[in-house]
């Protein structure tokens, strides 16, 4: 049973009141320069209001405008009003605004690794907020910092006080960010995708921490996210943004039960369901990839004494059959990427066997491996970085087959076919990667991989960097490519929803080992291992069927 | 860390051997005969031959090299061909003025260049930025001796604020030292300031776009704190690197500046030795500067670990 936050907070005092706000590119007149158009929203004491939308919808710009942090010379407020506790923020001087920040309004960001200063002790980074806004003795300041660190449930606070960000885990870093934001008990907290970079189990902890602190201090929270599951868990009210406009706003349950705007409906339909899709008929039994007893140990180094190594993958055995998709799910550090890289021979496995299309490749030398590389191809997570920006798409596509002796003309013709397969215009071959959107680029990356006519496609978090609606399209494309060419796919993902939608079989990994391996339906609906259950329980909005706007019956 | 320092110090050995071999050969391959210079214009060929014999210049080159290396390993830098005094004594007498001026130059350069670069990055594309960049190009392109003479003309001759040239040891008379050292130091500093300011600006521009700078703003910190406490330290590694590599420029500048300001340092010693083909002195000086350069850069590399806790060797 999905429990929405239905307690109405709109009668409480409004902390943030944004009315008809518009923001434009500096120096650009006319409708083209408009980045935010007529944004109105209110956040009340103790209330969480979510801003949802895909990349480029203007949700982050809205938050920066409220904080007075729009990049100078690039963006400027061109109309409307932002009020906090009845005080207009747009008329404040920069130094008045500075005093508000950190004190009455605070912000936490998406990526705690980059949002914290890497060369400063985290305790000092929290202490800075107190020192800037309060007159405190050194001792009192330190005590206060240790106290807030305890409030966000950091262990061993005295040690962590003196640690640098890189010495902490992702979850700990985000706790530091939260401690920093809440040190002075601000009335308004803006959380910009605060859990997007975290693992699901960590995400669940951070979300409940924010909720708890909000409860205790009556903080108003403006929550920015693209994740509908998170929205369903945390918000009282939701605003859906698209191209700088709010297209729909409603109390949370109303929005999920009866979405009225077309775009909202489309967004909700794109959220992959946690219910595994129906198993496909197993026509083929021909194994394309057979891994058995594979290990990968990273040696510990050390000049005089050998330090103990790290077991990144141990006793990995599985099989992928032609036309089937095997998913490997797990959190960061679980070893799923090490497995993928070992199979690609981007790293050399320490022991064990890997057979691709019947050929043992685990121990082949680089040179001997080369002719077999075309049998297995990879699609990476970030299409912005995995295509050479100075090469035309055509050149990137043709390079592989030409390296393996295909005549240039033939390769070019195959590239044209590929454009059709991935549903891009034929003239895309003459253009450069930056001229395409993220989704289109991922289509190109898939086309590049499929150009080689591989038997096995390894997709390493291939849809994780994409917006949900684009994600759905790319998943469909992978399905179609698989159906037409009969490729086996090894799909690495941290996202159980995605795994449920694309995989026939699923492997769950933890600490470098396989903890559960079975059909997607078995593993996701009747998990046997505790860790799998933990992962499923941590998935936000798991009781809700977003596409059909109702409770999930099987949950 | 200690292991790293030891390894780096050991790595100095092959560097020095290669430098030594190179220096030795280059010197002997350039035209000019120290015996002829020593004997004067009226010397007969027989006299020249005697002098060459005495100096060991008639031995095959490889034997000269082996002898020289043997001496070096015993810590003996040899005896000057011209003045007949030991090279280590000569350098010992002349090194302090050079070192003192070099220190002053580095201090002045960092104190001026770093704030300049930070300001330029902070006010990116404003007149401050353009002024800093213009100065940078100018400071880099005008030769050191021209700057030296312009400074002398303005501050010593026209305004009469400072002495034209000369040198006083700081241990003797610190004010006197500053009065005489300030013009040469600023002369030397121009090129160094240009280099460091440019690198500081570029490095700061990168860092100011980082997420943690946005976080610092969101915390309501003052701009000064954001720039100097948060951004500068993150930008410091490339700045330290350029200070280290720029040290070579400093060495080159010292030679010229000491001549312009008539300072009895090792720069002028080197120039005189080159003109007189005084091989032992030249060799010792080049080895010394090479060693110093390697050492400075080792110190710079170690400084990274202090600046950035993520860097561990």
């Amino acid at each position: 049973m999905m429990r929405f936050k239905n307690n109405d907070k709109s009668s409480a005092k409004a902390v943030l009141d944004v009315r008809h706000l518009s923001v434009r590119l500096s120096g650009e007149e006319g409708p083209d320069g408009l980045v935010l158009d007529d944004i109105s929203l209110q956040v009340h004491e103790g209330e969480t209001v979510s801003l949802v939308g895909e990349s480029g919808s203007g949700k982050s710009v809205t938050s920066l405008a409220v904080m007075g942090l729009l990049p100078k010379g690039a963006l400027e407020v061109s109309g409307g009003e932002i009020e906090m506790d009845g005080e207009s923020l747009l008329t404040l001087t920069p130094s008045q605004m500075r005093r508000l920040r950190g004190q009455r309004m605070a912000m936490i960001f998406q990526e705690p690794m980059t949002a914290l200063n890497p060369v400063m002790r985290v305790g000092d980074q929290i202490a800075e907020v107190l020192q800037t806004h309060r007159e405190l003795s050194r001792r009192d300041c330190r005590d206060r910092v240790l106290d807030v660190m305890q409030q966000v449930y950091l262990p061993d606070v005295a040690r962590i006080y003196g640690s640098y960000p890189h010495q902490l885990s992702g979850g700990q870093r985000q706790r530091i960010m939260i401690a920093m934001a809440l040190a002075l008990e601000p009335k308004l907290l803006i959380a910009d995708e605060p859990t997007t970079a975290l693992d699901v189990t960590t995400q669940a902890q951070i979300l409940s921490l924010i909720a708890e602190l909000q409860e205790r201090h009556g903080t108003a929270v403006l929550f920015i996210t693209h994740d509908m599951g998170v929205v369903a868990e945390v918000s009282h009210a939701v605003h859906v943004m698209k191209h700088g406009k709010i297209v729909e706003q409603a109390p949370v349950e109303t929005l999920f039960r009866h979405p009225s705007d077309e775009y909202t409906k489309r967004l909700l339909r794109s959220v992959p369901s946690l219910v595994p899709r129906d198993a496909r008929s197993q026509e083929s039994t021909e194994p394309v990839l057979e891994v058995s007893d594979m290990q990968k140990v990273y040696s510990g180094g050390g000049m005089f004494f050998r330090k103990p190594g790290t077991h990144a993958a141990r006793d990995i055995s599985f099989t992928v059959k032609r036309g089937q998709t095997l998913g490997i799910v797990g959190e960061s550090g679980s070893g799923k990427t090490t497995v993928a890289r070992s199979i690609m021979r981007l790293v050399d496995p320490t022991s064990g066997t890997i057979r691709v299309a019947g050929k043992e490749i685990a121990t082949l030398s680089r040179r001997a491996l080369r002719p077999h590389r075309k049998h297995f191809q990879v699609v990476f997570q970030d299409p912005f970085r995995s295509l050479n920006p100075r090469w035309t798409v055509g050149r990137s596509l043709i390079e592989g087959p030409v390296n393996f002796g295909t005549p240039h003309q033939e390769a070019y013709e195959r590239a044209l076919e590929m454009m059709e397969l991935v549903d891009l215009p034929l003239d895309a071959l003459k253009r450069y990667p930056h001229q395409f959107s993220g989704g289109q680029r991922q289509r190109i990356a898939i086309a590049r991989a499929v150009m080689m006519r591989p038997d096995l496609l390894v997709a390493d978090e291939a849809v994780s960097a994409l917006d949900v609606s684009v994600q759905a399209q790319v998943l469909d494309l992978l399905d179609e490519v698989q159906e037409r060419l009969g490729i086996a796919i090894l799909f690495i993902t941290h996202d159980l929803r995605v795994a449920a939608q694309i995989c026939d079989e699923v492997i769950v990994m933890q600490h470098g080992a396989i903890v559960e391996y079975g059909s997607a339906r078995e593993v996701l609906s009747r998990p046997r291992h505790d860790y799998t259950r933990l992962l499923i329980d941590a998935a936000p909005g798991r009781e809700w069927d977003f596409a059909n706007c109702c409770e999930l019956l099987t949950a | 860390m200690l292991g790293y320092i030891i390894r780096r110090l050991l790595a100095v050995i092959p560097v020095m051997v290669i430098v030594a071999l190179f220096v030795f050969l280059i010197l002997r391959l350039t035209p000019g005969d120290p015996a002829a210079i020593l004997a004067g214009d009226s010397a007969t060929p027989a006299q020249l031959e005697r002098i060459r014999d005495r100096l060991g210049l008639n031995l095959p080159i490889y034997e000269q090299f082996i002898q020289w290396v043997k001496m070096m390993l015993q810590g003996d830098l040899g005896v000057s061909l011209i003045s007949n005094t030991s090279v280590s004594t000569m350098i010992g007498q002349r090194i302090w003025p050079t070192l003192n001026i070099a220190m002053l130059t580095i201090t002045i350069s960092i104190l001026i260049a770093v704030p300049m670069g930070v300001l330029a990055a902070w006010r990116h594309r404003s007149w401050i930025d353009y002024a800093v960049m213009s100065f940078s190009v100018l400071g880099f392109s005008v030769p050191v001796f021209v700057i030296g003479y312009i400074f002398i003309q303005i501050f010593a001759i026209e305004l009469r604020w400072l002495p034209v040239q000369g040198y006083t040891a700081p241990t003797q008379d610190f004010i006197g030292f500053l009065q005489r050292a300030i013009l040469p130091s600023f002369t030397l500093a121009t090129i160094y300031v240009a280099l460091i300011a440019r690198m500081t600006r570029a490095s700061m521009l990168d860092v100011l776009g980082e997420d943690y700078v946005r976080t610092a703003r969101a915390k309501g910190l003052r701009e000064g704190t954001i720039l100097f406490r948060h951004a500068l330290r993150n930008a410091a590694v490339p700045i330290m690197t350029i200070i280290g590599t720029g040290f070579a420029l400093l060495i080159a500048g010292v030679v010229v500046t000491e001549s312009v300001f008539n300072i009895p340092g090792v720069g002028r010693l080197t120039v005189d030795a080159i003109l007189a083909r005084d091989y032992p002195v030249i060799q010792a000086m080049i080895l010394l500067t090479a060693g110093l350069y390697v050492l400075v850069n080792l110190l710079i590399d170690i400084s990274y670990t202090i600046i950035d806790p993520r860097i561990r060797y």
Side-chain angles (χ1 to χ4, degrees):
Chain A
M1 184 64 194
M2 182 78 212
R3 273 190 296 165
F4 288 109
K5 289 189 174 173
N6 283 332
N7 42 340
D8 189 13
K9 299 273 183 185
S10 55
S11 53
K13 198 165 140 258
V15 174
L16 177 70
D17 188 1
V18 177
R19 290 193 302 269
H20 309 295
L21 177 71
S22 54
V23 168
R24 60 169 60 252
L25 297 170
S26 296
E28 279 210 34
E29 301 301 316
D32 287 350
L34 219 48
V35 177
L36 290 187
D37 187 6
D38 197 22
I39 300 293
S40 297
L41 60 90
Q42 283 193 331
V43 191
H44 303 87
E45 266 176 5
E47 183 186 36
T48 300
V49 172
S50 291
L51 271 182
V52 256
E54 299 190 291
S55 44
S57 61
K59 48 196 198 306
S60 284
V61 175
T62 309
S63 68
L64 292 176
V66 171
M67 292 290 286
L69 290 174
L70 289 177
K72 260 190 225 105
L75 292 174
E76 61 195 27
V77 173
S78 59
E81 188 56 75
I82 304 174
E83 274 180 12
M84 203 183 149
D85 287 335
E87 181 184 17
S88 166
L89 298 187
L90 294 176
T91 55
L92 294 183
T93 65
S95 83
Q96 286 171 321
M97 203 54 206
R98 184 179 65 67
R99 275 191 287 273
L100 279 187
R101 286 198 291 268
Q103 193 158 211
R104 283 171 57 201
M105 47 158 90
M107 193 160 175
I108 44 183
F109 299 97
Q110 173 171 357
E111 177 49 271
M113 184 69 231
T114 59
L116 289 170
N117 187 338
V119 303
M120 202 167 161
R121 295 178 196 281
V122 292
D124 293 337
Q125 298 192 45
I126 302 174
E128 238 183 1
V129 184
L130 300 171
Q131 285 154 358
T132 308
H133 299 286
R134 294 273 191 281
E135 304 269 320
L136 275 179
S137 74
R138 222 166 237 283
R139 230 204 130 69
D140 289 350
C141 185
R142 191 183 157 88
D143 289 347
R144 273 300 310 274
V145 171
L146 292 176
D147 180 47
V148 241
M149 285 171 76
Q150 253 149 8
Q151 284 183 38
V152 297
Y153 302 112
L154 280 162
D156 197 359
V157 285
R159 179 182 58 84
I160 289 188
Y161 187 105
S163 302
Y164 292 97
H166 71 278
Q167 295 165 326
L168 305 177
S169 71
Q172 287 174 333
R173 287 194 282 258
Q174 198 60 297
R175 280 169 203 273
I176 294 286
M177 279 301 294
I178 293 172
M180 202 149 81
L182 298 181
L184 293 173
E185 297 181 11
K187 312 264 304 210
L188 173 68
L189 174 69
I190 300 178
D192 189 353
E193 305 261 9
T195 57
T196 307
L198 305 175
D199 285 323
V200 268
T201 51
T202 319
Q203 164 168 287
Q205 292 163 13
I206 295 289
L207 290 180
S208 77
L209 174 66
I210 294 176
E212 184 196 324
L213 294 171
Q214 174 181 35
E215 188 78 13
R216 202 183 302 160
H217 303 294
T219 321
V221 177
L222 181 61
F223 203 102
I224 293 164
T225 182
H226 69 279
D227 186 334
M228 284 297 178
V230 172
V231 173
E233 299 264 326
V234 304
S235 17
H236 295 98
V238 186
H239 297 249
V240 181
M241 287 190 77
K242 183 196 179 191
H243 301 323
K245 289 193 181 96
I246 290 179
V247 295
E248 179 164 5
Q249 61 174 89
V252 60
E253 188 159 1
T254 316
L255 187 103
F256 283 113
R257 280 198 194 280
H258 314 289
S260 61
D261 183 79
E262 259 323 296
Y263 178 72
T264 314
K265 287 182 194 160
R266 215 178 79 212
L267 268 185
L268 290 173
R269 270 199 304 275
S270 317
V271 178
S273 165
L274 259 176
V275 181
R277 66 172 189 192
D278 293 328
R280 295 182 291 186
S281 61
Q282 304 244 355
E283 294 159 6
S284 162
T285 48
E286 180 200 345
V288 172
L289 172 68
E290 295 169 271
V291 179
S292 61
D293 291 325
M294 193 189 75
Q295 321 267 350
K296 174 67 193 174
V297 183
Y298 285 102
S299 66
M303 186 160 57
F304 302 114
F305 309 100
R306 203 111 205 108
K307 290 174 191 146
T310 314
H311 254 91
R314 61 180 95 206
D315 307 330
I316 305 293
S317 304
F318 59 84
T319 311
V320 193
K321 300 195 188 78
R322 187 163 296 285
Q324 298 277 302
T325 300
L326 172 74
I328 302 184
V329 296
E331 299 189 291
S332 49
S334 63
K336 56 191 193 305
T337 297
T338 302
V339 170
R341 292 205 178 137
S342 302
I343 288 162
M344 294 302 299
R345 281 293 305 273
L346 297 174
V347 298
D348 294 330
T350 314
S351 65
T353 58
I354 301 167
R355 298 174 77 85
V356 178
K359 174 78 187 172
E360 161 65 41
I361 61 150
T363 51
L364 286 183
S365 70
R366 299 267 142 198
R367 182 189 287 269
L369 178 67
R370 220 181 89 85
H372 301 285
R373 279 226 181 266
K374 64 170 184 245
H375 296 296
F376 46 98
Q377 289 295 313
V378 66
V379 178
F380 291 104
Q381 172 169 3
D382 189 346
F384 287 76
R385 290 187 298 181
S386 59
L387 290 165
N388 186 336
R390 306 218 190 286
W391 279 20
T392 60
V393 169
R395 194 170 164 201
S396 287
L397 254 59
I398 288 167
E399 189 194 18
V402 167
N403 276 348
F404 281 97
T406 311
H408 194 277
Q409 188 55 37
E410 197 185 317
Y412 190 78
E413 276 157 24
R414 204 192 294 172
L416 288 173
E417 287 168 30
M418 284 303 144
M419 287 296 101
E420 228 160 304
L421 179 71
V422 301
D423 205 15
L424 284 174
L426 296 182
D427 70 346
L429 290 180
K430 295 194 187 69
R431 288 191 269 156
Y432 289 89
H434 72 265
Q435 293 168 299
F436 298 92
S437 69
Q440 287 174 323
R441 260 180 259 198
Q442 204 58 306
R443 284 166 190 273
I444 295 167
I446 292 171
R448 192 215 55 77
V450 176
M451 274 293 280
M452 305 291 285
R453 302 198 169 139
D455 299 292
L456 171 71
L457 187 67
V458 177
D460 189 356
E461 298 279 7
V463 297
S464 303
L466 306 174
D467 283 322
V468 270
S469 61
V470 182
Q471 203 173 48
Q473 293 164 13
V474 172
L475 288 177
D476 285 347
L477 172 66
L478 278 174
D479 244 13
E480 193 191 329
V481 167
Q482 184 170 47
E483 202 161 294
R484 280 174 54 177
L485 308 174
I487 302 178
I489 298 180
L490 182 65
F491 198 93
I492 317 288
T493 182
H494 70 280
D495 191 335
L496 289 175
R497 292 179 180 276
V498 169
Q501 288 321 298
I502 190 158
C503 301
D504 301 295
E505 290 184 305
V506 170
I507 285 175
V508 180
M509 283 188 74
Q510 186 192 21
H511 303 321
I514 294 177
V515 297
E516 193 158 351
Y517 176 18
S519 76
R521 181 156 282 276
E522 275 299 306
V523 173
L524 295 174
S525 343
R526 280 183 294 281
R528 276 167 299 153
H529 195 277
D530 287 344
Y531 179 67
T532 315
R533 242 171 265 141
L534 192 72
L535 279 183
I536 293 173
D537 285 347
R542 67 190 175 284
E543 297 96 346
W544 193 254
D545 183 346
F546 292 92
N548 298 312
C549 305
C550 61
E551 259 91 10
L552 208 53
L553 298 172
T554 54
Chain B
M1 185 69 186
L2 190 69
Y4 172 76
I5 294 174
I6 293 169
R7 258 179 295 145
R8 281 290 300 267
L9 285 175
L10 289 178
V12 173
I13 295 170
V15 173
M16 297 308 279
V17 168
I18 291 166
V19 171
L21 185 62
F22 195 70
V23 168
F24 190 85
L25 289 178
I26 285 284
L27 277 184
R28 264 105 190 135
L29 291 175
T30 47
D33 182 356
I37 296 169
L38 203 61
D41 292 338
S42 55
T44 63
Q47 277 175 320
L48 282 179
E49 199 57 24
R50 267 204 306 282
I51 295 174
R52 285 200 195 104
D53 250 1
R54 181 166 57 79
L55 298 179
L57 294 173
N58 277 337
L59 294 171
I61 283 198
Y62 69 90
E63 272 186 39
Q64 289 185 36
F65 184 68
I66 291 170
Q67 271 195 355
W68 180 59
V69 170
K70 268 189 197 158
M71 274 162 55
M72 297 291 294
L73 288 179
Q74 290 160 5
D76 182 358
L77 293 176
V79 175
S80 160
L81 297 183
I82 311 294
S83 69
N84 224 1
T85 43
S86 96
V87 174
S88 38
T89 321
M90 287 172 79
I91 292 178
Q93 284 168 354
R94 309 276 294 261
I95 193 120
W96 287 109
T98 308
L99 281 186
N100 287 332
I101 289 190
M103 296 291 206
L104 190 62
T105 305
I106 292 180
T107 315
I108 291 174
S109 307
I110 293 174
L111 287 181
I112 296 176
V114 170
M116 254 170 80
V118 170
L119 225 65
W122 183 48
R123 287 281 171 253
H124 185 39
R125 297 200 181 138
S126 71
W127 66 267
I128 301 179
D129 188 15
Y130 292 125
V132 168
M133 290 309 278
S134 314
F135 172 83
S136 228
V137 173
L138 203 70
F140 218 81
S141 26
V142 181
V144 176
F145 69 91
V146 174
I147 295 170
Y149 284 128
I150 292 174
F151 278 175
I152 291 179
Q153 180 69 34
I154 297 174
F155 296 104
I157 297 175
E158 304 281 339
L159 296 170
R160 291 180 180 278
W161 288 353
L162 297 162
V164 175
Q165 41 177 225
Y167 178 79
T168 311
T171 44
Q172 222 174 51
D173 169 11
F174 192 70
I175 303 296
F177 162 73
L178 279 187
Q179 281 177 343
R180 285 173 183 80
I182 206 135
L183 283 187
S185 296
F186 269 95
T187 306
L188 267 174
T190 34
I191 191 165
Y192 219 30
V193 168
L195 197 67
I196 299 172
R198 234 188 137 98
M199 183 49 90
T200 307
R201 173 183 175 272
S203 185
M204 281 292 285
L205 278 178
D206 280 347
V207 168
L208 287 178
E210 294 284 344
D211 286 355
Y212 51 79
V213 171
R214 188 184 55 184
T215 307
R217 294 223 159 86
K219 288 202 280 190
L221 302 186
R222 288 172 196 87
E223 282 295 300
T225 317
I226 294 171
L227 287 177
F228 287 94
R229 196 193 297 169
H230 285 272
L232 184 58
R233 188 155 166 210
N234 278 287
V237 164
I239 301 174
M240 290 304 290
T241 312
I242 205 78
I243 290 174
T245 38
F247 191 72
L249 284 174
L250 190 66
I251 293 169
V254 158
V255 174
V256 181
T257 313
E258 286 183 356
S259 303
V260 171
F261 289 94
N262 198 19
I263 294 163
V266 285
R268 255 177 61 214
L269 179 68
T270 313
V271 175
D272 294 343
I274 291 171
L275 293 176
R277 296 282 177 273
D278 195 347
Y279 293 159
V281 177
I282 305 175
Q283 287 161 357
M285 276 314 300
I286 295 181
L287 276 183
L288 184 74
T289 27
L292 205 61
Y293 188 71
V294 172
L295 201 69
V296 165
N297 281 288
L298 172 61
L299 289 179
I300 297 277
D301 283 353
I302 293 170
S303 79
Y304 295 163
T305 64
I306 299 165
I307 297 169
D308 191 335
R310 288 168 298 179
I311 299 176
R312 285 284 169 266
Y313 298 119

